[in-house]
Each structure stands twice: as structure tokens, then as C-alpha cells.
């Protein structure tokens, strides 16, 4: 979830229920969608789909090639003027079906919306089922036996992107508090370690923000700071180097 100028919340990938009567934020600060469309490949299905919704979805398909987003089977347009440009979460218990929410009200520039699309996709990339096998970490036994970084729906797989990212960059900062004041203090204290202030929220947001910078950079920065090393982190994976190349070419970035 990418937020602007609002209290920072932990990224949620739980199933949400909405009444499609308008837009804004619900009581938990999550975006209320303007509508909901099923996704088949590069198409969204529905009658009388507004032009602005079609344009944003079309842009998303241009930025994120179909082979990387097979789990995204629902698109929900949102009004970014309430402070959230995009969000993504699983809506099936086995994390096989995800919904992506994107601003259609021109609340940000086209460049920033492209960046939001890449940021949200990075959550899918790093939080999907093969990266975080399902387990209830609310169960103290499960949580205490977790030998890697624990998220609400499971422990990161030992060889997952997020587990390696946390091992390299977050160990001195654990455990993580996502309280707004703590996040601000973390960023100010370690300002050279984060690509943005929002990245200091928690490892899931940090890796998503760093991935967005990795994809959008015309040339990767020198490894002169921890923030830059986070951007270069993804380049150690041949699969992600190819993904970056394809996203940049597909979206003409």
C-alpha cells in the first residue's frame, strides 16, 4: 500500500469487504473502491466501464507484463485524493487470487502512478505464496518457531527475497514498530539507509520502495550507501534483472 501524508499503517494482505457506494477510506484507513472488475489476462470485464478506469488498467498492463501478475484477478479503481494511490492484497485464503487497487482520479502525476504500480507489484513479488508459505503467526508456537522474518500470514521462506533483504539490512532494526512517530524517528536516525521515508515503515514497504527505484533507475547507483545497496540488491538475481528489463521495455520507462 502506498500512502501520502497520512498515518502509516502496516501493509495488509487480508481479505476486505466493501459496499460499492462511493469512495474514500474505511474505518481502518484502507481505500474504499469505486468499483470492482474481474480480470482475465489483460482485460477487465464489466459493462459501461468508465474511460478513466480502462486507461489506468491499460497502463498497468503495459507496465507489468502478464506473465508476472497471474494472481491478480481483480481490479478496483480508487480515488487517490484521499491519500492512497494504490494497494494490493490477497483475497483468497491460499493467496492464489489478489486484488490491485489503483488511483483513477489523477491525484498524482503519471510518473508517480507508474511508480505506485511497480511498488504494488513488488508486494505481490515478495509476499506471494512461494515466498511466504501460509501459517498463522498469531499462534505463539508458530511465531516462536519461526526461524526467519515473521509476517501475519506466515514466516518468510529461507530463500525468499524478503528474508534475504531482512537478513542483510534490517537485523539491527528488529523488532519493527510501525507507529508513525517510530517510523519518522527510524528514518531520521538512518536517513542514508532508506530510499524514501515511507520505506522506513517496515521491511515489506522497504523492499517494495527499493524495487520501484531499482526498476525506474536508468542506471543503478553506486553502492555508496545502504539505500543504494538496497536498490542494487535485486540485481543479484538473474530473474529480477530480466524482469526489470522487461518492465522497462514493456512500459517504455
Amino acid at each position: 500500500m502506498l500512502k501520502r501524508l497520512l498515518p502509516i499503517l502496516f501493509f495488509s494482505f487480508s481479505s476486505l469487504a466493501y459496499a460499492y457506494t462511493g469512495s474514500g477510506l474505511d474505518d481502518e484507513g484502507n481505500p474504499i473502491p469505486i468499483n470492482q472488475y474481474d480480470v482475465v489476462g489483460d482485460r477487465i470485464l464489466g459493462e459501461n466501464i468508465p474511460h478513466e478506469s480502462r486507461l489506468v488498467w491499460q497502463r498497468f498492463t503495459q507496465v507489468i507484463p502478464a506473465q508476472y501478475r497471474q494472481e491478480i484477478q481483480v481490479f478496483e479503481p480508487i480515488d487517490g485524493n484521499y491519500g492512497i494511490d494504490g494497494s494490493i492484497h490477497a483475497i483468497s485464503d491460499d493467496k492464489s487470487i489478489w486484488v490491485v487497487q489503483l488511483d483513477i482520479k489523477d491525484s498524482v502525476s503519471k510518473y508517480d502512478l507508474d511508480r505506485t504500480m511497480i511498488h504494488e507489484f513488488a508486494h505481490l513479488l515478495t509476499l506471494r505464496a512461494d515466498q511466504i508459505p501460509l501459517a498463522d503467526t498469531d499462534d505463539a508456537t508458530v511465531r516462536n518457531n519461526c526461524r526467519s522474518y515473521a509476517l501475519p500470514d506466515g514466516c518468510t521462506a529461507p530463500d525468499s527475497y524478503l528474508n534475504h533483504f531482512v537478513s542483510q539490512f534490517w537485523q539491527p532494526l528488529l523488532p519493527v514498530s510501525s507507529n508513525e512517530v517510530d517510523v519518522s524517528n527510524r528514518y531520521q536516525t538512518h536517513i542514508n539507509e532508506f530510499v524514501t521515508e515511507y520505506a522506513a515503515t517496515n521491511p515489506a514497504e522497504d523492499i517494495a520502495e527499493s524495487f520501484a527505484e531499482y526498476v525506474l533507475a536508468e542506471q543503478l547507483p553506486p553502492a555508496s550507501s545502504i539505500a543504494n545497496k538496497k536498490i542494487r540488491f535485486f540485481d543479484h538475481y538473474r530473474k529480477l534483472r530480466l524482469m526489470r528489463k522487461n518492465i522497462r521495455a514493456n512500459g517504455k520507462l
Side-chain angles (χ1 to χ4, degrees):
M1 180 184 293
L2 199 54
K3 308 183 72 172
R4 306 188 319 279
L5 304 176
L6 287 174
I8 297 173
L9 302 178
F10 188 81
F11 169 73
S12 172
F13 36 88
S14 61
S15 178
L16 302 175
Y18 301 111
Y20 298 98
T21 56
S23 60
L25 304 177
D26 65 18
D27 292 341
E28 296 181 353
N30 297 307
I32 298 174
I34 298 169
N35 215 317
Q36 183 184 76
Y37 303 106
D38 289 335
V39 171
V40 177
D42 284 346
R43 297 184 299 128
I44 52 175
L45 307 181
E47 297 181 359
N48 302 316
I49 300 175
H51 181 63
E52 57 192 2
S53 295
R54 288 191 180 278
L55 281 180
V56 170
W57 175 253
Q58 182 182 44
R59 182 55 184 161
F60 184 69
T61 65
Q62 292 170 348
V63 173
I64 308 298
Q67 67 263 35
Y68 300 136
R69 52 175 163 84
Q70 294 179 356
E71 296 100 323
I72 298 178
Q73 298 182 31
V74 180
F75 168 53
E76 292 180 343
I78 58 174
D79 185 348
N81 290 299
Y82 289 89
I84 298 177
D85 309 331
S87 181
I88 193 169
H89 52 268
I91 55 174
S92 63
D93 290 340
D94 62 356
K95 295 205 298 186
S96 64
I97 301 174
W98 290 58
V99 56
V100 64
Q101 299 177 318
L102 295 168
D103 170 52
I104 63 165
K105 296 297 185 180
D106 294 327
S107 71
V108 295
S109 68
K110 288 184 166 110
Y111 174 87
D112 285 336
L113 188 58
D114 282 352
R115 190 185 186 283
T116 293
M117 291 174 180
I118 298 166
H119 171 105
E120 299 307 333
F121 166 70
H123 283 311
L124 173 62
L125 175 68
T126 57
L127 298 172
R128 61 186 9 146
D130 68 344
Q131 297 288 302
I132 304 178
L134 290 169
D136 182 8
T137 51
D138 286 335
D139 183 319
T141 302
V142 173
R143 186 172 60 252
N144 292 337
N145 288 333
C146 183
R147 298 182 181 276
S148 58
Y149 181 61
L151 286 164
D153 68 339
C155 304
T156 52
D159 203 33
S160 65
Y161 300 129
L162 186 55
N163 193 53
H164 286 305
F165 190 85
V166 170
S167 295
Q168 290 186 41
F169 302 118
W170 274 83
Q171 288 299 330
L173 303 177
L174 298 177
V176 178
S177 166
S178 292
N179 174 278
E180 185 178 4
V181 173
D182 292 338
V183 171
S184 179
N185 289 340
R186 186 182 303 129
Y187 178 68
Q188 294 302 326
T189 304
H190 304 276
I191 196 165
N192 292 323
E193 298 184 18
F194 298 103
V195 297
T196 63
E197 183 170 0
Y198 189 60
T201 305
N202 55 53
E205 297 299 352
D206 192 12
I207 197 170
E209 283 287 86
S210 300
F211 183 79
E213 293 298 312
Y214 171 67
V215 171
L216 289 169
E218 291 187 13
Q219 292 186 333
L220 297 185
S224 55
S225 68
I226 292 180
N228 285 355
K229 289 178 181 178
K230 287 177 177 177
I231 296 172
R232 298 182 67 91
F233 164 84
F234 308 97
D235 217 46
H236 292 96
Y237 298 90
R238 181 179 179 277
K239 177 180 178 180
L240 299 186
R241 293 198 301 270
L242 180 60
M243 184 181 293
R244 175 179 182 265
K245 180 180 178 181
N246 289 341
I247 292 175
R248 288 184 58 82
N250 212 54
K252 296 180 171 56
L253 299 174

